[in-house]
Coordinates of all heavy atoms in Angstrom, one line a residue:
G400 N 13.5 40.4 -1.5 CA 14.9 41.0 -1.3 C 15.9 40.0 -0.9 O 17.1 40.2 -1.3
G401 N 15.6 39.0 -0.2 CA 16.6 38.0 0.3 C 16.6 36.7 -0.5 O 17.3 35.7 -0.2
I402 N 15.8 36.7 -1.6 CA 15.7 35.5 -2.4 C 16.9 35.4 -3.4 O 17.1 36.3 -4.2 CB 14.4 35.4 -3.2 CG1 13.2 35.4 -2.2 CG2 14.3 34.2 -4.2 CD1 13.1 34.2 -1.4
A403 N 17.5 34.2 -3.5 CA 18.6 34.0 -4.4 C 18.0 34.0 -5.8 O 16.9 33.5 -6.0 CB 19.3 32.7 -4.1
P404 N 18.8 34.5 -6.8 CA 18.3 34.4 -8.2 C 17.9 33.0 -8.7 O 17.0 32.8 -9.5 CB 19.5 34.9 -9.0 CG 20.2 35.8 -8.1 CD 20.1 35.2 -6.7
S405 N 18.6 32.0 -8.1 CA 18.3 30.6 -8.5 C 16.9 30.2 -8.0 O 16.3 29.2 -8.5 CB 19.3 29.6 -8.0 OG 19.4 29.8 -6.6
D406 N 16.4 30.9 -7.0 CA 15.0 30.6 -6.4 C 14.0 31.6 -6.9 O 12.8 31.5 -6.5 CB 15.1 30.6 -4.9 CG 15.8 29.4 -4.3 OD1 15.8 28.4 -4.9 OD2 16.4 29.6 -3.2
A407 N 14.4 32.4 -7.9 CA 13.4 33.5 -8.3 C 12.2 32.9 -8.9 O 11.1 33.4 -8.6 CB 14.1 34.4 -9.3
A408 N 12.3 31.9 -9.8 CA 11.1 31.4 -10.4 C 10.2 30.7 -9.4 O 9.0 30.9 -9.5 CB 11.5 30.4 -11.5
A409 N 10.8 30.0 -8.5 CA 10.0 29.3 -7.5 C 9.3 30.3 -6.6 O 8.1 30.2 -6.2 CB 10.9 28.4 -6.6
A410 N 10.0 31.4 -6.2 CA 9.4 32.4 -5.3 C 8.3 33.1 -6.1 O 7.3 33.5 -5.5 CB 10.5 33.4 -4.9
S411 N 8.5 33.4 -7.3 CA 7.5 34.1 -8.2 C 6.2 33.2 -8.2 O 5.1 33.8 -8.0 CB 8.1 34.3 -9.6 OG 7.1 34.7 -10.4
G412 N 6.4 31.9 -8.5 CA 5.2 31.1 -8.6 C 4.4 31.0 -7.3 O 3.2 31.1 -7.3
L413 N 5.1 30.9 -6.2 CA 4.5 30.8 -4.9 C 3.8 32.1 -4.5 O 2.6 32.0 -4.1 CB 5.5 30.4 -3.8 CG 5.1 30.0 -2.5 CD1 4.1 28.8 -2.6 CD2 6.2 29.6 -1.6
T414 N 4.5 33.2 -4.7 CA 3.9 34.5 -4.4 C 2.6 34.8 -5.2 O 1.6 35.2 -4.6 CB 4.9 35.6 -4.6 OG1 6.1 35.4 -3.9 CG2 4.3 37.0 -4.2
N415 N 2.7 34.6 -6.5 CA 1.5 34.9 -7.4 C 0.4 34.0 -7.2 O -0.8 34.4 -7.2 CB 2.0 35.0 -8.8 CG 2.8 36.2 -9.1 OD1 2.3 37.3 -9.2 ND2 4.1 36.1 -9.3
M416 N 0.7 32.7 -7.0 CA -0.4 31.7 -6.7 C -1.1 32.0 -5.5 O -2.4 32.1 -5.5 CB 0.2 30.3 -6.6 CG -0.9 29.2 -6.3 SD -0.3 27.6 -5.8 CE 0.2 28.0 -4.2
L417 N -0.4 32.3 -4.4 CA -1.1 32.6 -3.1 C -1.8 33.9 -3.1 O -2.9 34.0 -2.5 CB 0.0 32.5 -2.0 CG 0.5 31.1 -1.7 CD1 1.6 31.2 -0.6 CD2 -0.6 30.2 -1.2
R418 N -1.3 34.9 -3.9 CA -2.1 36.2 -3.9 C -3.4 35.9 -4.7 O -4.4 36.4 -4.2 CB -1.3 37.2 -4.6 CG -2.0 38.6 -4.6 CD -1.2 39.7 -5.3 NE -0.8 39.4 -6.6 CZ 0.4 39.2 -7.0 NH1 1.4 39.3 -6.1 NH2 0.8 38.9 -8.2
N419 N -3.4 35.2 -5.8 CA -4.6 34.9 -6.5 C -5.5 34.0 -5.7 O -6.7 34.2 -5.7 CB -4.3 34.2 -7.8 CG -3.9 35.2 -8.9 OD1 -3.6 36.4 -8.6 ND2 -3.8 34.8 -10.2
L420 N -4.9 33.1 -5.0 CA -5.8 32.2 -4.1 C -6.4 33.0 -3.0 O -7.5 32.8 -2.6 CB -4.9 31.1 -3.5 CG -5.7 29.9 -2.8 CD1 -6.7 29.3 -3.8 CD2 -4.7 28.9 -2.3
G421 N -5.6 34.0 -2.4 CA -6.1 34.9 -1.4 C -7.3 35.7 -2.0 O -8.3 35.9 -1.3
G422 N -7.2 36.1 -3.2 CA -8.3 36.8 -3.9 C -9.5 35.9 -4.0 O -10.7 36.4 -3.8
A423 N -9.3 34.6 -4.4 CA -10.5 33.7 -4.5 C -11.1 33.5 -3.1 O -12.4 33.5 -3.0 CB -10.0 32.4 -5.1
V424 N -10.3 33.2 -2.1 CA -10.8 33.0 -0.8 C -11.5 34.2 -0.3 O -12.6 34.2 0.3 CB -9.7 32.6 0.2 CG1 -10.2 32.6 1.7 CG2 -9.1 31.3 -0.1
G425 N -10.9 35.4 -0.6 CA -11.5 36.7 -0.1 C -12.9 36.9 -0.8 O -13.8 37.3 -0.1
T426 N -13.0 36.7 -2.1 CA -14.2 36.9 -2.8 C -15.3 36.0 -2.2 O -16.5 36.5 -2.0 CB -14.0 36.7 -4.3 OG1 -13.0 37.6 -4.8 CG2 -15.3 36.9 -5.1
A427 N -15.0 34.7 -2.0 CA -16.0 33.8 -1.5 C -16.4 34.2 -0.1 O -17.6 34.2 0.3 CB -15.4 32.4 -1.5
T428 N -15.4 34.6 0.8 CA -15.7 35.0 2.1 C -16.6 36.3 2.2 O -17.6 36.3 2.9 CB -14.4 35.2 2.9 OG1 -13.6 34.0 2.9 CG2 -14.7 35.6 4.4
L429 N -16.2 37.2 1.3 CA -17.0 38.5 1.3 C -18.4 38.3 0.8 O -19.3 38.9 1.3 CB -16.2 39.5 0.5 CG -14.9 40.0 1.0 CD1 -14.2 40.8 0.0 CD2 -15.1 40.8 2.3
G430 N -18.5 37.4 -0.2 CA -19.9 37.0 -0.6 C -20.7 36.5 0.5 O -21.9 36.8 0.6

Side-chain angles (χ1 to χ4, degrees):
I402 297 297
S405 56
D406 286 330
S411 170
L413 191 54
T414 303
N415 286 288
M416 178 194 73
L417 289 175
R418 184 178 55 250
N419 279 15
L420 191 59
V424 171
T426 300
T428 303
L429 293 171

